Amino acid sequence: MPTRAADENRLLEKLRRLPPDKAKEVEDFIDTLNQLPQPDATALDAAYREMASDQAREEEALAWSEAHIDDGLDALPEEKRGDWH
């Protein structure tokens, strides 16, 4: 498994091969990502617990997921489809 440093080096090499205008686009995109608010793990955990405590919502989600279990099975190799039934 590649290390983080190896991943970073590979990414930097790709960036160095880009034309200047494309490198600027990548830089702008990274700046945009860094400006996004970071989720508060504690608040996120609390929100998930609150949603999970809503029994009607959980039952609806389970019914929906069960109703759509076969969606996309045709994209799986035949030998893997049996794992989903």
Side-chain angles (χ1 to χ4, degrees):
M1 173 183 270
T3 65
R4 180 177 173 110
D7 287 342
E8 288 173 354
N9 285 334
R10 194 174 67 250
L11 183 58
L12 286 171
E13 285 304 314
K14 289 179 180 181
L15 183 58
R16 287 182 184 115
R17 289 192 298 264
L18 290 175
D21 61 319
K22 294 296 180 185
K24 178 67 173 130
E25 285 182 38
V26 172
E27 181 181 6
D28 291 346
F29 176 69
I30 292 170
D31 289 344
T32 299
L33 290 177
N34 284 325
Q35 291 173 7
L36 294 175
Q38 298 299 310
D40 173 4
T42 304
L44 191 58
D45 186 56
Y48 280 129
R49 288 181 189 279
E50 182 181 339
M51 286 188 294
S53 70
D54 183 340
Q55 191 62 35
R57 185 178 183 151
E58 285 296 297
E59 289 172 9
E60 181 182 350
L62 179 60
W64 182 89
S65 64
E66 291 292 324
H68 294 88
I69 193 80
D70 289 335
D71 291 358
L73 282 182
D74 56 337
L76 288 175
E78 189 66 40
E79 64 272 9
K80 296 286 185 179
R81 292 181 194 178
D83 296 343
W84 293 92
H85 288 286

